[in-house]
Amino acid sequence: MRKNVLVLIPIAAALVLEILPYGAVCNFGYQADDGTIAYMRSLYSYFDLLPFGYGNFAPFLTGILTCAVLVLTLVFCVTGKRRLLLPAKILLCIGIVLSLCPLLFGIEYFSAVGALITASLIAEFLWLYFASKREKETT
């Protein structure tokens, strides 16, 4: 069980980064003094519904999936049941793809914190992948 607790580090880091108000990006247009359209960049938490309402749905869904993976890995750490690793890995794959979806709008809709969240989710996936491989070899 003690070794399994280390698997919680990347997913917990991703959750903390998602709670911070620097991950989700909205670019609001306004008319500048000279009549041109200027853009103001605003940053929000992954759990804030304002970006979701403006069509940037991926951060909120990534946050929900991160919470689900955290629960699955926590139950895995307590019980040691390997069958929980497959759903966690599937949810992580979906979460990784969703965390990259703001890039479909353009690079200006992606933040450095968003990149760290994606890296944390990838690290968690790799950790679970190798943990499940190691568990198979020992049994």
Side-chain angles (χ1 to χ4, degrees):
M1 167 150 162
R2 191 167 188 202
K3 287 191 300 187
N4 290 343
V5 174
L6 294 176
V7 80
L8 293 173
I9 292 172
I11 197 71
L15 185 63
V16 168
L17 289 170
E18 289 169 356
I19 291 171
L20 294 176
Y22 306 111
V25 178
C26 283
N27 292 317
F28 296 109
Y30 64 95
Q31 189 171 7
D33 293 333
D34 61 353
T36 61
I37 301 294
Y39 293 95
M40 179 179 63
R41 180 179 168 109
S42 299
L43 300 172
Y44 299 94
S45 168
Y46 267 46
F47 296 102
D48 195 342
L49 290 176
L50 189 112
F52 187 84
Y54 277 99
N56 193 0
F57 60 88
F60 183 71
L61 296 178
T62 303
I64 298 296
L65 288 175
T66 302
C67 292
V69 170
L70 180 64
V71 168
L72 285 173
T73 54
L74 191 61
V75 172
F76 166 71
C77 288
V78 172
T79 63
K81 294 183 180 179
R82 278 189 319 146
R83 67 175 183 239
L84 295 172
L85 293 178
L86 181 62
K89 288 189 289 188
I90 291 171
L91 290 177
L92 273 170
C93 287
I94 296 169
I96 290 167
V97 170
L98 281 173
S99 70
L100 293 172
C101 278
L103 287 173
L104 296 173
F105 295 126
I107 193 71
E108 61 272 2
Y109 284 89
F110 201 64
S111 66
V113 173
L116 289 173
I117 291 167
T118 303
S120 296
L121 293 176
I122 291 170
E124 178 71 14
F125 175 78
L126 292 174
W127 204 319
L128 287 179
Y129 176 76
F130 290 119
S132 65
K133 232 178 162 181
R134 187 175 51 242
E135 291 282 330
K136 282 182 185 176
E137 290 173 359
T138 58
T139 58

